[in-house]
Amino acid sequence: MPEGDVARRSPAKQRQGRARSAIWTRRLAVAALVLAALNLRPVVTSLGPVLEEARAALGMSATVAGLLTSVPAVCFALIGSAAPRLARRHGPEGVVLAGMAAVALGLALRPFVGSTPVFLTLSGFALAGIAVANVLLPVVVKQRFPDRVGMMTGLYSMALNLGAAAAAVTVPLAGVFGGDWRAGLGAWAVLAAVAVPPWVALARDGRRPPGKQDGQQTGRQAGRAAGGHAAAGAGAHVRVARSPTAWALAVFFGLQATSAYVIMGWLPQVFRDAGLSAEAAGLLFAATSVLGVPLSFVLAAVAGRLRNQSGIAVLLGAFGLAGYAGLWAAPAAAPWLWAVLLGVANCSFPLALTMIAMRGRDGATVIRLSAFAQSVGYLLSVPGPILVGALYQHTGGWQGPLAFVVCLMVPQIAAGYLAGRDRQI
């Protein structure tokens, strides 16, 4: 073939090559996001169905087990706040890669230690990885899929809720290994390890010089970055901490997180103490998680169209009151009903995120409001699960702990009502 023809075709072939590379990278990003989202909950939810066996093997008191259910909130409040600074230095993909590696290592090692402090340390190590990933995955979605943020966020949320259903699989996995709870718990490290290679590739792609990436995509990213800096300057003088609405959001976020971590940490044990099998307890907990997959989509769509979300917050709180009251009165009488009611109540999390976005006047204020509400909220949520564990240990039953959680639903409803009013900061 003449050299002139080759030269004339080279630019076209180069464009085709870049297009194929961009398609491959986007598919890789989809797989990486889904796999990462699947690993954001099993560290906590996989432990609940075998918590009784783990406590017996490690000599762990109920109070310490309650502390374990509060560790995620501490990590999300403290370590998650460092994620933006780490991302500026290493890139979001690189930080998520490190987070997934930490999750895999922590999950692989913690079941096979014989000391409660070491078990807690390894759990905290894995949760630290989740904390940074939890903050940065939405950033990756916006960077990699600027034209499909809604679809990818929905896919990410679905994977997250499916990962929370790990409780239903932990006991059967243990059965495969002769009923060994350690093997059933450690098997989740395999899922985390599978998530690492896609993030290695994405981290390498994220470090490529701008001239080596797709020009159109790089231009969009530069435009979004410039817009973000402008927005940050516009809202730099907003003092979120002085706003009653911001505090209402923080209290609502913290109390709904308290309820969620009590459910994740203790709901299977409540059902087991009521006489249900470990497998049934795991399935019931999984129902509370899977129910959030469709409801989160519907709730966010409805709440986003309303100027006032107070009614939704009150309604979700009423579901929580009914679910906890049912567990308090007769946990084994209608376990599926209580699980469904609590699953609906757990949709307070996407409602809180929606209200945060709607209460800020501009993008910069939303960022500051989100950081304030989530950091303060997660810190507020720390004592709840610990107190539940302490009450369970000292009373020997669930009447006192569940009565305490029922009481917490009252201020959650009040804070949700105030946070949902048509106010802007």
Side-chain angles (χ1 to χ4, degrees):
M1 182 178 295
E3 292 185 4
D5 292 343
V6 174
R8 284 192 296 271
R9 292 186 182 184
S10 292
K13 289 183 178 180
Q14 290 175 2
R15 286 193 296 272
Q16 290 175 358
R18 286 196 297 269
R20 286 194 296 268
S21 177
I23 292 172
W24 181 87
T25 301
R26 284 168 71 89
R27 290 175 178 173
L28 177 68
V30 171
L33 285 164
V34 170
L35 286 170
L38 284 171
N39 283 284
L40 293 183
R41 293 295 180 266
V43 173
V44 177
T45 61
S46 63
L47 181 60
V50 295
L51 183 58
E52 184 175 308
E53 289 80 2
R55 286 179 54 201
L58 297 171
M60 185 188 301
S61 69
T63 302
V64 173
L67 174 63
L68 183 60
T69 62
S70 293
V71 170
V74 176
C75 288
F76 294 162
L78 301 180
I79 298 175
S81 63
R85 293 192 296 273
L86 293 171
R88 285 194 295 269
R89 175 175 296 183
H90 304 289
E93 294 90 351
V95 179
V96 175
L97 165 62
M100 288 296 99
V103 173
L105 186 61
L107 284 174
L109 295 179
R110 74 170 182 174
F112 304 104
V113 299
S115 165
T116 295
V118 178
F119 187 91
L120 290 173
T121 300
L122 290 171
S123 296
F125 185 69
L127 287 165
I130 292 176
V132 293
N134 207 35
V135 173
L136 294 177
L137 285 182
V139 176
V140 176
V141 168
K142 290 182 180 180
Q143 288 181 345
R144 296 282 178 174
F145 304 93
D147 52 343
R148 291 182 173 86
V149 171
M151 183 187 72
M152 290 305 303
T153 301
L155 185 62
Y156 159 84
S157 300
M158 183 180 299
L160 189 148
N161 280 282
L162 289 174
V169 189
T170 300
V171 174
L173 280 174
V176 172
F177 297 98
D180 185 357
W181 68 271
R182 296 179 184 273
L185 200 59
W188 292 102
V190 176
L191 180 63
V194 171
V196 171
W199 285 101
V200 172
L202 282 185
R204 289 176 178 172
D205 181 75
R207 290 194 296 267
R208 291 166 62 191
K212 298 293 184 180
Q213 297 180 9
D214 178 71
Q216 185 179 0
Q217 183 178 359
T218 303
R220 287 197 301 266
Q221 292 177 0
R224 289 195 304 277
H229 291 311
H237 301 293
V238 177
R239 296 187 177 182
V240 173
R242 293 188 176 183
S243 168
T245 299
W247 278 101
L249 278 168
V251 172
F252 178 72
F253 193 96
L255 291 176
Q256 66 81 27
T258 298
S259 176
Y261 285 120
V262 168
I263 291 172
M264 283 192 287
W266 291 109
L267 184 62
Q269 188 67 51
V270 173
F271 286 129
R272 290 190 67 176
D273 287 349
L276 279 71
S277 67
E279 292 85 352
L283 286 172
L284 286 163
F285 172 77
T288 67
S289 303
V290 174
L291 192 60
V293 176
L295 287 182
S296 295
F297 281 111
V298 175
L299 183 66
V302 173
R305 293 189 179 98
L306 299 175
R307 297 176 64 87
N308 187 309
Q309 295 81 35
S310 296
I312 299 178
V314 172
L315 181 62
L316 292 178
F319 273 90
L321 275 173
Y324 284 121
L327 284 177
W328 177 85
W336 285 101
L337 176 60
W338 315 143
V340 168
L341 289 171
L342 293 176
V344 175
N346 262 357
C347 290
S348 296
F349 175 71
L351 175 64
L353 296 181
T354 303
M355 291 195 296
I356 288 172
M358 298 187 70
R359 297 290 87 88
R361 291 184 182 275
D362 51 43
T365 307
V366 171
I367 293 172
R368 294 166 65 87
L369 180 59
S370 177
F372 175 80
Q374 292 199 44
S375 59
V376 173
Y378 277 127
L379 287 175
L380 287 175
S381 72
V382 171
I386 299 175
L387 289 173
V388 168
L391 286 171
Y392 175 54
Q393 179 176 345
H394 286 91
T395 63
W398 287 105
Q399 296 284 306
L402 289 172
F404 169 69
V405 181
V406 168
C407 291
L408 288 183
M409 294 302 300
V410 176
Q412 177 181 322
I413 291 173
Y417 176 83
L418 295 174
R421 295 180 301 170
D422 185 16
R423 303 284 193 275
Q424 285 194 316
I425 300 172

